[in-house]
Coordinates of all heavy atoms in Angstrom, one line a residue:
R1311 N 29.7 84.5 67.7 CA 30.9 85.3 67.7 C 30.9 86.4 68.8 O 30.0 87.2 68.9 CB 31.1 85.9 66.3 CG 32.4 86.7 66.1 CD 32.3 87.3 64.8 NE 32.2 88.8 65.1 CZ 32.0 89.7 64.2 NH1 31.9 89.4 62.9 NH2 32.0 90.9 64.5
R1312 N 31.9 86.4 69.6 CA 32.0 87.4 70.7 C 33.0 88.5 70.2 O 34.1 88.1 69.8 CB 32.4 86.8 72.0 CG 31.3 86.0 72.6 CD 31.7 85.6 74.0 NE 30.5 84.8 74.5 CZ 30.5 84.4 75.7 NH1 31.4 84.6 76.5 NH2 29.4 83.7 76.1
S1313 N 32.6 89.7 70.4 CA 33.5 90.8 70.1 C 34.0 91.4 71.3 O 33.3 91.6 72.3 CB 32.7 91.8 69.3 OG 32.2 91.3 68.1
T1314 N 35.3 91.8 71.3 CA 35.8 92.5 72.4 C 36.5 93.7 71.9 O 36.9 93.8 70.8 CB 36.9 91.6 73.2 OG1 37.9 91.2 72.2 CG2 36.2 90.4 73.7
A1315 N 36.7 94.7 72.8 CA 37.4 95.9 72.5 C 38.4 96.1 73.6 O 38.1 96.8 74.6 CB 36.4 97.1 72.3
P1316 N 39.6 95.6 73.4 CA 40.6 95.6 74.5 C 41.0 97.0 74.9 O 41.3 97.3 76.1 CB 41.8 94.9 74.0 CG 41.6 94.8 72.5 CD 40.1 94.9 72.3
N1317 N 40.9 98.0 74.1 CA 41.3 99.4 74.4 C 40.1 100.3 74.8 O 40.3 101.4 75.0 CB 42.1 100.0 73.3 CG 41.3 100.2 72.0 OD1 40.3 99.6 71.9 ND2 41.8 100.9 71.1
A1318 N 38.9 99.7 74.9 CA 37.7 100.5 75.2 C 37.9 101.3 76.5 O 37.4 102.4 76.6 CB 36.5 99.6 75.3
R1319 N 38.4 100.7 77.5 CA 38.5 101.4 78.8 C 39.4 102.6 78.8 O 39.3 103.5 79.6 CB 39.0 100.4 79.9 CG 38.0 99.4 80.2 CD 38.5 98.5 81.3 NE 38.2 97.2 81.0 CZ 38.3 96.2 81.8 NH1 38.8 96.4 83.0 NH2 38.0 95.0 81.4
R1320 N 40.3 102.6 77.8 CA 41.2 103.8 77.7 C 40.4 105.0 77.0 O 40.8 106.1 77.2 CB 42.4 103.5 76.9 CG 43.4 102.6 77.7 CD 44.6 102.3 76.9 NE 44.3 101.1 76.3 CZ 45.0 100.6 75.3 NH1 46.0 101.2 74.8 NH2 44.7 99.5 74.7
R1321 N 39.4 104.7 76.2 CA 38.7 105.7 75.5 C 37.5 106.3 76.3 O 37.1 107.4 76.1 CB 38.1 105.2 74.2 CG 39.2 104.9 73.2 CD 38.6 104.4 71.9 NE 38.0 103.1 72.2 CZ 37.6 102.3 71.2 NH1 37.8 102.6 70.0 NH2 37.1 101.1 71.5
W1322 N 37.0 105.6 77.3 CA 35.8 106.1 78.0 C 35.9 105.6 79.5 O 36.5 104.6 79.8 CB 34.5 105.8 77.4 CG 34.3 104.4 77.0 CD1 34.7 103.8 75.8 CD2 33.6 103.4 77.7 NE1 34.3 102.5 75.8 CE2 33.6 102.2 76.9 CE3 33.0 103.4 78.9 CZ2 33.0 101.0 77.3 CZ3 32.4 102.2 79.4 CH2 32.4 101.0 78.5
N1323 N 35.2 106.4 80.3 CA 35.2 106.1 81.7 C 33.8 106.1 82.3 O 33.1 107.1 82.2 CB 36.0 107.2 82.4 CG 36.1 107.0 83.9 OD1 36.1 105.9 84.4 ND2 36.0 108.1 84.6
A1324 N 33.3 105.0 82.8 CA 32.0 104.9 83.4 C 32.0 105.2 84.8 O 32.9 104.9 85.6 CB 31.4 103.5 83.2
R1325 N 31.0 105.9 85.3 CA 30.9 106.3 86.7 C 30.2 105.2 87.6 O 30.5 105.1 88.7 CB 30.1 107.6 86.8 CG 30.8 108.8 86.3 CD 30.3 110.1 86.9 NE 31.0 111.2 86.3 CZ 30.6 112.0 85.4 NH1 29.3 111.8 84.9 NH2 31.3 112.9 84.9
A1326 N 29.4 104.4 87.0 CA 28.7 103.4 87.7 C 28.3 102.2 86.9 O 27.8 102.4 85.8 CB 27.4 104.0 88.4
L1327 N 28.5 101.0 87.3 CA 28.1 99.8 86.6 C 27.4 98.9 87.6 O 28.1 98.3 88.5 CB 29.3 99.1 86.0 CG 30.1 99.8 84.9 CD1 31.3 99.0 84.5 CD2 29.2 100.1 83.7
G1328 N 26.1 98.8 87.6 CA 25.4 98.0 88.6 C 24.2 97.3 88.1 O 23.7 97.7 87.0
G1329 N 23.7 96.3 88.7 CA 22.5 95.6 88.3 C 22.7 94.7 87.1 O 23.8 94.6 86.6
R1330 N 21.7 94.0 86.7 CA 21.7 93.1 85.6 C 21.8 93.9 84.3 O 22.5 93.5 83.4 CB 20.5 92.2 85.6 CG 20.8 90.8 85.3 CD 19.6 89.9 85.4 NE 19.7 89.1 86.6 CZ 18.9 88.2 87.0 NH1 17.8 88.0 86.3 NH2 19.1 87.6 88.1
T1331 N 21.0 94.9 84.2 CA 21.0 95.8 83.1 C 21.0 97.2 83.8 O 20.5 97.3 84.9 CB 19.9 95.7 82.1 OG1 18.7 95.9 82.8 CG2 19.9 94.3 81.5
G1332 N 21.4 98.2 83.1 CA 21.4 99.5 83.7 C 22.0 100.5 82.8 O 22.3 100.3 81.7
S1333 N 22.2 101.7 83.4 CA 22.8 102.7 82.6 C 23.7 103.5 83.5 O 23.7 103.4 84.7 CB 21.7 103.6 82.0 OG 20.9 104.2 83.1
A1334 N 24.5 104.3 82.9 CA 25.5 105.1 83.6 C 25.8 106.3 82.8 O 25.6 106.3 81.6 CB 26.8 104.3 83.9
Q1335 N 26.3 107.3 83.4 CA 26.9 108.5 82.6 C 28.4 108.3 82.6 O 28.9 107.7 83.6 CB 26.5 109.8 83.3 CG 25.2 110.4 82.8 CD 25.1 111.8 83.3 OE1 26.0 112.4 83.9 NE2 24.0 112.4 82.9
G1336 N 29.0 108.7 81.6 CA 30.5 108.6 81.5 C 31.0 109.7 80.7 O 30.3 110.6 80.2
E1337 N 32.3 109.6 80.4 CA 33.0 110.6 79.6 C 33.7 109.9 78.5 O 34.2 108.8 78.6 CB 34.1 111.3 80.5 CG 33.4 112.0 81.7 CD 34.4 112.3 82.8 OE1 35.5 111.8 82.7 OE2 34.0 113.1 83.7
F1338 N 33.7 110.6 77.3 CA 34.3 110.0 76.1 C 35.5 110.8 75.7 O 35.5 112.0 75.9 CB 33.3 110.0 75.0 CG 33.8 109.4 73.7 CD1 34.1 108.1 73.6 CD2 34.0 110.2 72.6 CE1 34.5 107.5 72.4 CE2 34.5 109.7 71.4 CZ 34.7 108.4 71.3
G1339 N 36.5 110.2 75.2 CA 37.7 110.9 74.7 C 38.5 111.6 75.8 O 38.9 111.0 76.8
S1340 N 38.6 112.9 75.6 CA 39.3 113.7 76.6 C 38.5 114.1 77.8 O 39.0 114.8 78.6 CB 39.8 115.0 75.9 OG 38.7 115.8 75.5
G1341 N 37.3 113.5 77.9 CA 36.5 113.8 79.1 C 35.6 115.0 78.9 O 34.9 115.4 79.9
Q1342 N 35.6 115.6 77.8 CA 34.8 116.8 77.5 C 33.4 116.5 77.1 O 32.5 117.3 77.2 CB 35.4 117.6 76.4 CG 36.8 118.1 76.7 CD 36.8 119.0 78.0 OE1 36.0 119.9 78.1 NE2 37.7 118.8 78.9
Q1343 N 33.1 115.2 76.7 CA 31.8 114.8 76.2 C 31.1 113.8 77.1 O 31.6 112.7 77.3 CB 31.9 114.2 74.8 CG 30.7 113.9 74.1 CD 30.9 113.4 72.7 OE1 32.0 113.2 72.3 NE2 29.8 113.2 72.0
L1344 N 30.0 114.2 77.7 CA 29.2 113.3 78.6 C 28.4 112.4 77.6 O 27.9 112.8 76.6 CB 28.3 114.1 79.5 CG 28.9 114.8 80.7 CD1 27.8 115.5 81.5 CD2 29.6 113.8 81.5
V1345 N 28.4 111.1 78.0 CA 27.7 110.1 77.2 C 26.8 109.3 78.1 O 27.0 109.2 79.3 CB 28.7 109.2 76.5 CG1 29.5 110.0 75.4 CG2 29.6 108.5 77.4
A1346 N 25.8 108.6 77.5 CA 25.0 107.6 78.2 C 25.7 106.2 77.9 O 26.1 106.0 76.8 CB 23.6 107.6 77.7
I1347 N 25.7 105.4 78.9 CA 26.3 104.0 78.8 C 25.2 103.0 79.2 O 24.7 103.0 80.3 CB 27.5 103.8 79.6 CG1 28.6 104.9 79.2 CG2 28.1 102.4 79.4 CD1 29.8 104.9 80.1
K1348 N 24.8 102.2 78.2 CA 23.9 101.0 78.5 C 24.8 99.9 78.9 O 25.7 99.5 78.3 CB 23.1 100.7 77.3 CG 22.1 99.6 77.5 CD 21.3 99.4 76.3 CE 20.2 98.3 76.6 NZ 19.4 98.1 75.4
V1349 N 24.4 99.3 80.1 CA 25.2 98.2 80.6 C 24.4 96.9 80.7 O 23.3 96.9 81.2 CB 25.7 98.5 82.1 CG1 26.6 97.4 82.6 CG2 26.5 99.8 82.0
L1350 N 24.9 95.8 80.1 CA 24.2 94.5 80.1 C 25.2 93.5 80.8 O 26.2 93.2 80.2 CB 23.9 94.1 78.7 CG 23.0 95.0 77.9 CD1 23.0 94.6 76.4 CD2 21.6 95.1 78.5
H1351 N 24.8 93.0 81.9 CA 25.6 92.0 82.7 C 25.3 90.6 82.1 O 24.4 90.0 82.6 CB 25.3 92.2 84.2 CG 25.9 93.4 84.7 ND1 27.1 93.5 85.4 CD2 25.4 94.7 84.8 CE1 27.3 94.7 85.8 NE2 26.3 95.5 85.4
V1352 N 26.1 90.2 81.1 CA 25.8 89.0 80.4 C 25.9 87.8 81.4 O 25.1 86.9 81.3 CB 26.8 88.8 79.2 CG1 26.6 87.5 78.5 CG2 26.6 90.0 78.3
T1353 N 26.9 87.8 82.2 CA 27.1 86.6 83.1 C 26.0 86.5 84.1 O 25.8 85.4 84.7 CB 28.5 86.7 83.8 OG1 28.6 87.9 84.5 CG2 29.6 86.5 82.8
A1354 N 25.2 87.5 84.4 CA 24.1 87.5 85.4 C 22.8 87.1 84.7 O 21.8 86.8 85.4 CB 24.0 88.8 86.1
M1355 N 22.8 87.0 83.4 CA 21.6 86.6 82.7 C 21.3 85.1 82.9 O 22.2 84.3 82.8 CB 21.7 87.0 81.2 CG 21.7 88.5 81.1 SD 21.8 89.0 79.3 CE 21.8 90.7 79.5
T1356 N 20.0 84.8 83.1 CA 19.7 83.4 83.5 C 19.5 82.5 82.3 O 19.5 81.2 82.5 CB 18.4 83.4 84.3 OG1 17.4 84.0 83.6 CG2 18.7 84.1 85.7
S1357 N 19.2 83.0 81.1 CA 19.0 82.1 80.0 C 20.0 82.3 78.8 O 20.5 83.4 78.7 CB 17.6 82.2 79.5 OG 17.4 83.4 78.7
E1358 N 20.2 81.3 78.1 CA 21.1 81.4 76.9 C 20.4 82.4 75.9 O 21.2 83.1 75.2 CB 21.3 80.1 76.2 CG 22.3 80.1 75.1 CD 23.7 80.6 75.6 OE1 24.1 80.3 76.7 OE2 24.3 81.3 74.8
E1359 N 19.1 82.4 75.8 CA 18.4 83.4 74.9 C 18.7 84.8 75.3 O 19.0 85.6 74.4 CB 16.9 83.1 74.9 CG 16.1 83.9 74.0 CD 14.6 83.6 74.0 OE1 14.2 82.6 74.6 OE2 13.9 84.5 73.5
Q1360 N 18.7 85.1 76.6 CA 19.0 86.5 77.0 C 20.5 86.8 76.7 O 20.8 88.0 76.2 CB 18.9 86.6 78.5 CG 17.4 86.6 79.0 CD 17.3 86.6 80.5 OE1 18.1 86.0 81.2 NE2 16.3 87.3 81.0
R1361 N 21.4 85.9 76.9 CA 22.8 86.2 76.6 C 23.0 86.4 75.1 O 23.7 87.3 74.6 CB 23.7 85.0 77.1 CG 23.8 85.0 78.6 CD 24.8 84.0 79.1 NE 24.3 82.6 79.0 CZ 23.5 82.0 79.9 NH1 23.2 82.7 81.0 NH2 23.1 80.8 79.7
A1362 N 22.3 85.6 74.3 CA 22.4 85.7 72.8 C 21.9 87.0 72.3 O 22.4 87.7 71.5 CB 21.7 84.6 72.1
C1363 N 20.8 87.5 73.0 CA 20.2 88.8 72.6 C 21.1 89.9 73.0 O 21.3 90.9 72.2 CB 18.8 88.9 73.4 SG 18.0 90.4 73.0
A1364 N 21.8 89.9 74.1 CA 22.7 90.9 74.5 C 23.9 91.0 73.6 O 24.4 92.0 73.2 CB 23.2 90.6 75.9
L1365 N 24.4 89.8 73.2 CA 25.6 89.8 72.2 C 25.1 90.2 70.8 O 25.9 90.8 70.1 CB 26.2 88.4 72.2 CG 26.8 88.0 73.6 CD1 27.3 86.6 73.5 CD2 28.0 89.0 73.9
R1366 N 23.9 89.9 70.4 CA 23.4 90.4 69.2 C 23.3 91.9 69.2 O 23.6 92.6 68.2 CB 22.0 89.8 68.9 CG 21.5 90.1 67.5 CD 20.2 89.2 67.2 NE 19.2 89.1 68.2 CZ 19.0 88.0 68.9 NH1 19.7 86.9 68.7 NH2 18.1 88.0 69.9
E1367 N 22.8 92.5 70.3 CA 22.7 94.0 70.4 C 24.1 94.6 70.4 O 24.3 95.6 69.8 CB 22.0 94.3 71.8 CG 21.8 95.8 71.9 CD 21.0 96.2 73.1 OE1 20.4 95.3 73.7 OE2 20.9 97.4 73.4
L1368 N 25.1 93.9 70.9 CA 26.5 94.4 70.8 C 26.9 94.4 69.4 O 27.5 95.4 68.9 CB 27.4 93.4 71.6 CG 28.9 93.6 71.4 CD1 29.4 95.0 71.9 CD2 29.7 92.5 72.1
R1369 N 26.7 93.4 68.6 CA 27.1 93.4 67.2 C 26.4 94.4 66.4 O 27.1 95.1 65.6 CB 26.9 92.0 66.6 CG 27.8 90.9 67.1 CD 27.7 89.6 66.3 NE 26.4 89.0 66.3 CZ 25.9 88.2 67.3 NH1 26.7 87.9 68.3 NH2 24.7 87.7 67.2
I1370 N 25.2 94.6 66.6 CA 24.4 95.7 65.9 C 25.0 97.1 66.3 O 25.2 97.9 65.4 CB 22.9 95.6 66.2 CG1 22.3 94.4 65.6 CG2 22.2 96.9 65.7 CD1 20.9 94.0 66.1
S1371 N 25.2 97.3 67.6 CA 25.8 98.6 68.0 C 27.2 98.8 67.4 O 27.5 99.9 67.1 CB 25.9 98.6 69.6 OG 24.6 98.5 70.1
Q1372 N 28.0 97.8 67.4 CA 29.3 97.9 66.8 C 29.2 98.3 65.3 O 30.0 99.1 64.8 CB 30.2 96.7 66.9 CG 30.6 96.5 68.4 CD 31.3 95.1 68.6 OE1 31.0 94.1 68.0 NE2 32.2 95.1 69.5
R1373 N 28.2 97.8 64.6 CA 28.1 98.2 63.2 C 27.6 99.7 63.1 O 28.0 100.4 62.2 CB 27.0 97.3 62.5 CG 27.6 96.0 62.1 CD 26.7 95.3 61.1 NE 25.4 95.0 61.6 CZ 25.0 93.8 62.1 NH1 25.8 92.8 62.1 NH2 23.7 93.7 62.4
L1374 N 26.8 100.1 64.1 CA 26.3 101.5 64.1 C 27.5 102.5 64.4 O 27.4 103.7 64.1 CB 25.2 101.7 65.0 CG 23.9 101.1 64.5 CD1 22.8 101.1 65.6 CD2 23.4 101.8 63.3
V1375 N 28.5 102.0 65.1 CA 29.7 102.9 65.4 C 30.3 103.2 64.0 O 30.7 104.4 63.8 CB 30.7 102.2 66.3 CG1 32.0 103.0 66.3 CG2 30.1 102.0 67.7
L1376 N 30.4 102.2 63.2 CA 31.1 102.4 61.9 C 30.2 103.0 60.8 O 30.7 103.7 59.9 CB 31.6 101.1 61.4 CG 32.6 100.4 62.3 CD1 33.0 99.0 61.8 CD2 33.9 101.2 62.4
Q1377 N 28.9 102.8 60.9 CA 27.9 103.3 59.9 C 26.7 103.9 60.6 O 25.7 103.3 60.7 CB 27.4 102.1 59.0 CG 28.5 101.5 58.2 CD 28.1 100.3 57.5 OE1 27.0 99.7 57.8 NE2 28.8 99.9 56.4
P1378 N 26.9 105.1 61.2 CA 25.8 105.7 61.9 C 24.6 106.0 61.0 O 24.7 106.1 59.8 CB 26.4 107.1 62.4 CG 27.8 107.1 61.9 CD 28.1 105.9 61.1
H1379 N 23.4 106.0 61.6 CA 22.2 106.3 60.9 C 21.6 107.6 61.5 O 21.5 107.8 62.7 CB 21.2 105.1 61.2 CG 20.0 105.2 60.3 ND1 19.0 106.1 60.5 CD2 19.7 104.6 59.1 CE1 18.0 105.9 59.6 NE2 18.5 105.0 58.7
H1380 N 21.2 108.5 60.6 CA 20.7 109.8 61.0 C 19.4 109.8 61.9 O 19.1 110.8 62.5 CB 20.6 110.7 59.8 CG 19.5 110.3 58.9 ND1 19.7 109.3 57.9 CD2 18.2 110.7 58.7 CE1 18.6 109.2 57.2 NE2 17.7 110.0 57.7
N1381 N 18.7 108.7 61.8 CA 17.4 108.6 62.6 C 17.6 107.9 64.0 O 16.6 107.7 64.7 CB 16.3 107.9 61.8 CG 15.8 108.8 60.7 OD1 15.9 110.0 60.8 ND2 15.3 108.1 59.7
L1382 N 18.8 107.5 64.3 CA 19.1 106.8 65.5 C 20.1 107.6 66.4 O 20.9 108.4 65.9 CB 19.7 105.4 65.2 CG 18.8 104.5 64.4 CD1 19.6 103.2 64.1 CD2 17.6 104.1 65.2
V1383 N 20.0 107.4 67.7 CA 21.0 108.0 68.6 C 22.4 107.5 68.2 O 22.6 106.4 67.7 CB 20.6 107.6 70.1 CG1 20.8 106.1 70.3 CG2 21.5 108.4 71.1
H1384 N 23.3 108.4 68.3 CA 24.7 108.1 67.9 C 25.4 107.2 68.9 O 25.4 107.5 70.1 CB 25.5 109.4 67.7 CG 26.9 109.2 67.3 ND1 27.2 108.9 66.0 CD2 28.1 109.2 67.9 CE1 28.5 108.7 65.9 NE2 29.0 108.9 67.0
I1385 N 25.9 106.1 68.3 CA 26.7 105.1 69.2 C 28.1 105.5 69.0 O 28.7 105.5 67.9 CB 26.4 103.7 68.7 CG1 24.9 103.4 68.6 CG2 27.2 102.7 69.6 CD1 24.2 103.2 70.0
H1386 N 28.8 105.8 70.2 CA 30.2 106.1 70.1 C 31.1 104.9 70.2 O 32.2 104.8 69.6 CB 30.6 107.0 71.3 CG 29.9 108.4 71.3 ND1 30.3 109.3 70.4 CD2 28.9 108.9 72.1 CE1 29.5 110.4 70.6 NE2 28.7 110.1 71.6
D1387 N 30.7 103.9 71.0 CA 31.5 102.7 71.2 C 30.6 101.6 71.7 O 29.6 101.9 72.4 CB 32.7 103.0 72.1 CG 33.8 102.0 72.1 OD1 33.8 101.1 71.2 OD2 34.7 102.1 72.9
A1388 N 31.0 100.4 71.5 CA 30.3 99.2 72.0 C 31.4 98.1 72.3 O 32.2 97.9 71.4 CB 29.3 98.7 71.1
A1389 N 31.4 97.6 73.5 CA 32.4 96.6 73.8 C 31.9 95.5 74.7 O 30.9 95.7 75.5 CB 33.6 97.3 74.5
Y1390 N 32.4 94.3 74.6 CA 32.2 93.2 75.5 C 33.4 93.1 76.4 O 34.5 92.8 75.9 CB 31.9 91.9 74.8 CG 31.7 90.7 75.7 CD1 30.7 90.7 76.6 CD2 32.6 89.7 75.7 CE1 30.5 89.6 77.4 CE2 32.4 88.6 76.5 CZ 31.4 88.6 77.4 OH 31.2 87.5 78.3
M1391 N 33.3 93.4 77.6 CA 34.4 93.3 78.6 C 34.4 91.9 79.2 O 33.7 91.7 80.2 CB 34.4 94.4 79.6 CG 34.5 95.7 79.0 SD 34.4 97.0 80.2 CE 34.5 98.4 79.2
E1392 N 35.1 91.0 78.6 CA 35.1 89.6 78.9 C 35.5 89.3 80.4 O 34.8 88.5 81.1 CB 36.0 88.8 78.0 CG 35.5 87.4 77.7 CD 36.1 86.8 76.5 OE1 36.9 87.4 75.8 OE2 35.9 85.6 76.4
D1393 N 36.4 90.1 80.9 CA 36.9 89.9 82.3 C 35.8 90.2 83.3 O 35.8 89.7 84.4 CB 38.2 90.6 82.5 CG 38.0 92.1 82.4 OD1 37.3 92.6 81.5 OD2 38.7 92.9 83.1
R1394 N 34.9 91.1 82.9 CA 33.8 91.5 83.8 C 32.5 90.9 83.4 O 31.5 91.0 84.2 CB 33.7 93.1 83.8 CG 35.0 93.7 84.4 CD 34.9 95.2 84.4 NE 34.0 95.7 85.4 CZ 33.8 96.9 85.6 NH1 34.4 97.8 84.9 NH2 33.0 97.3 86.6
G1395 N 32.4 90.3 82.2 CA 31.2 89.7 81.8 C 30.1 90.7 81.5 O 28.9 90.5 81.6
V1396 N 30.4 91.9 81.0 CA 29.5 93.0 80.7 C 29.6 93.5 79.2 O 30.7 93.5 78.7 CB 29.5 94.2 81.6 CG1 29.2 93.8 83.1 CG2 30.9 94.9 81.6
V1397 N 28.5 93.8 78.7 CA 28.4 94.5 77.4 C 28.1 96.0 77.8 O 27.2 96.2 78.5 CB 27.3 93.9 76.5 CG1 27.0 94.9 75.3 CG2 27.6 92.5 76.0
C1398 N 28.9 96.9 77.2 CA 28.7 98.3 77.4 C 28.5 99.0 76.1 O 29.3 98.8 75.2 CB 29.9 98.9 78.2 SG 30.1 98.3 79.8
I1399 N 27.4 99.7 76.0 CA 27.2 100.5 74.7 C 27.1 101.9 75.1 O 26.3 102.4 75.9 CB 25.8 100.0 74.1 CG1 25.9 98.5 73.8 CG2 25.5 100.8 72.8 CD1 24.5 97.9 73.5
M1400 N 28.1 102.7 74.6 CA 28.2 104.1 74.9 C 27.6 104.9 73.8 O 27.9 104.7 72.6 CB 29.7 104.5 75.0 CG 29.9 105.9 75.4 SD 31.6 106.4 75.6 CE 32.2 106.0 74.0
M1401 N 26.7 105.7 74.1 CA 25.9 106.5 73.1 C 25.7 108.0 73.5 O 26.0 108.3 74.7 CB 24.6 105.8 72.9 CG 23.7 105.8 74.1 SD 22.3 104.7 74.0 CE 23.0 103.1 74.5
E1402 N 25.3 108.7 72.6 CA 25.0 110.1 72.8 C 24.0 110.3 73.9 O 23.1 109.6 74.1 CB 24.3 110.6 71.5 CG 23.8 112.0 71.5 CD 23.1 112.3 70.1 OE1 22.9 111.4 69.3 OE2 22.7 113.4 70.0
L1403 N 24.4 111.2 74.8 CA 23.5 111.5 76.0 C 22.5 112.6 75.5 O 22.8 113.7 75.1 CB 24.3 112.1 77.1 CG 23.6 112.5 78.4 CD1 22.9 111.2 79.0 CD2 24.5 113.1 79.4
L1404 N 21.2 112.2 75.5 CA 20.2 113.1 75.1 C 19.6 113.9 76.3 O 19.5 113.4 77.4 CB 19.0 112.3 74.4 CG 19.4 111.5 73.2 CD1 18.3 110.7 72.7 CD2 20.0 112.4 72.1
S1405 N 19.3 115.1 76.0 CA 18.7 115.9 77.1 C 17.1 115.9 77.0 O 16.6 115.4 75.9 CB 19.2 117.4 77.0 OG 18.8 117.9 75.7
G1406 N 16.4 116.3 78.0 CA 15.0 116.4 77.9 C 14.2 115.4 78.7 O 13.1 115.2 78.5
G1407 N 14.9 114.7 79.6 CA 14.2 113.8 80.5 C 14.3 112.3 80.0 O 15.0 112.0 79.1
S1408 N 13.6 111.5 80.7 CA 13.6 110.1 80.4 C 12.4 109.7 79.6 O 11.5 110.4 79.4 CB 13.6 109.3 81.7 OG 12.3 109.3 82.3
L1409 N 12.4 108.5 79.1 CA 11.3 108.0 78.3 C 10.1 107.7 79.2 O 9.0 107.6 78.8 CB 11.7 106.7 77.6 CG 12.7 106.8 76.5 CD1 13.1 105.5 75.9 CD2 12.2 107.7 75.4
R1410 N 10.4 107.5 80.5 CA 9.3 107.3 81.5 C 8.4 108.5 81.7 O 7.3 108.5 82.1 CB 9.8 106.8 82.8 CG 10.4 105.4 82.7 CD 10.9 105.0 84.0 NE 11.6 103.7 83.8 CZ 12.3 103.1 84.7 NH1 12.4 103.6 85.9 NH2 12.9 102.0 84.5
S1411 N 9.0 109.7 81.6 CA 8.3 110.9 81.9 C 7.6 111.5 80.7 O 7.7 111.1 79.6 CB 9.3 112.0 82.5 OG 10.3 112.3 81.5

């Protein structure tokens, strides 16, 4: 089952979408809230297993929009943009550096 959110682009604005997977900063709602956006380029994935994993992550993220969990980063929105072949998961932007540091 593929999920789409046709009005997702009206609620948030990404500054950059590049690579097979990646991240971007964007704005949510009225533009007052900065968010992190995880980007999965489904059409660029080479195996059906990778595509299935990306779409599974989309479904889980969409459930977390409706039923947030206090031990997880807050998910604001999750959408599959069929015309671009990308899954975008918009979440709370955490401060304090990256996981690599």
Side-chain angles (χ1 to χ4, degrees):
R1311 184 184 109 187
R1312 289 188 179 187
S1313 300
T1314 58
N1317 62 346
R1319 289 183 224 191
R1320 285 181 270 166
R1321 290 183 293 197
W1322 50 274
N1323 177 40
R1325 292 203 179 102
L1327 298 174
R1330 224 177 253 183
T1331 62
S1333 61
Q1335 273 192 359
E1337 300 162 348
F1338 181 69
S1340 64
Q1342 299 299 314
Q1343 184 176 8
L1344 285 179
V1345 295
I1347 302 172
K1348 181 176 182 178
V1349 181
L1350 303 170
H1351 290 262
V1352 178
T1353 54
M1355 294 180 177
T1356 57
S1357 75
E1358 188 57 39
E1359 183 179 345
Q1360 289 175 324
R1361 289 185 286 275
C1363 184
L1365 295 174
R1366 187 171 43 253
E1367 185 171 351
L1368 169 65
R1369 289 190 300 275
I1370 291 167
S1371 297
Q1372 287 174 327
R1373 284 196 300 259
L1374 288 170
V1375 170
L1376 301 173
Q1377 298 173 340
H1379 191 281
H1380 65 278
N1381 288 334
L1382 299 175
V1383 66
H1384 181 75
I1385 306 290
H1386 295 288
D1387 197 7
Y1390 177 63
M1391 295 181 185
E1392 212 163 353
D1393 61 326
R1394 296 177 76 178
V1396 295
V1397 168
C1398 295
I1399 302 168
M1400 184 181 56
M1401 61 194 86
E1402 172 184 9
L1403 181 62
L1404 300 176
S1405 61
S1408 73
L1409 293 174
R1410 292 181 187 172
S1411 58

